[in-house]
Amino acid sequence: MRQFTMAQQMDPIAGYATTMKIVSPGNGAAVRGAVATGPRPPPPSPPPPPPPPPPPLPPQPTRNHHPGTTQVKAGDTVTVHATGVVKETDKKFWSTKDPGQQPFTYQAGVGGVITGWDQGCLGMQIGEVRLLEIPAHEGYGANGFPAWGIPPGGTLFFTLECLKIE
């Protein structure tokens, strides 16, 4: 059974052949934790009132950082869970969720990963899960990546889950 089908409505990414679908929207805040099961503990007592806030600091110039951002922008350092599947064979070739793997961190929008992924991640929010369909010329090209089972001219599906934006 195929994991992905062409019946899924994919949205274009302006200027690119890669298409995307938001599988689960993000919230722009922290990643939500696992849902607990079983009886709930009683609600905690209300906290004491917070102390007054300190005076604001003057803006500090930083490189490749967008203070208060809730979306991935070019130059941001992004951490994601990622799973890659070859469309033609329906074979998974890589997943950060596999045993022994860990989330992947990279700099977005600057060419450090394949073009379809690099452009397809822009605009993601923390907690968002996005499906990308990446044609060969924006992926691993006419040669593919045989060591990973990606055939020449292979189209890729990548599912990305945005965990952190810096």
Side-chain angles (χ1 to χ4, degrees):
M1 180 199 269
R2 294 190 67 85
Q3 291 184 26
F4 305 103
T5 67
M6 289 305 295
Q8 291 178 322
Q9 179 62 39
M10 302 289 277
D11 297 316
I13 296 173
Y16 295 89
T18 295
T19 56
M20 56 82 75
K21 175 181 178 63
I22 296 174
V23 176
S24 176
N27 61 16
V31 177
R32 287 174 244 145
V35 176
T37 59
R40 292 185 173 197
S45 302
L57 296 173
Q60 300 293 315
T62 57
R63 184 175 177 198
N64 296 328
H65 182 68
H66 306 280
T69 188
T70 59
Q71 294 186 330
V72 175
K73 295 178 180 61
D76 285 343
T77 299
V78 182
T79 301
V80 297
H81 270 307
T83 299
V85 175
V86 176
K87 179 180 179 180
E88 292 80 5
T89 62
D90 198 36
K91 299 274 188 201
K92 177 176 71 173
F93 59 87
W94 179 60
S95 179
T96 60
K97 293 184 175 184
D98 285 345
Q101 296 292 312
Q102 58 187 336
F104 181 71
T105 300
Y106 65 101
Q107 194 173 11
V110 298
V113 293
I114 58 175
T115 300
W117 177 338
D118 206 30
Q119 297 303 309
C121 73
L122 298 177
M124 287 186 78
Q125 294 184 334
I126 293 175
E128 181 178 327
V129 177
R130 186 176 285 192
L131 174 65
L132 303 176
E133 183 174 357
I134 303 173
H137 69 279
E138 292 179 1
Y140 290 99
N143 294 327
F145 197 127
W148 282 10
I150 300 171
T155 298
L156 308 176
F157 286 115
F158 263 103
T159 303
L160 303 179
E161 178 185 359
C162 184
L163 303 175
K164 187 176 181 184
I165 303 169
E166 296 180 291

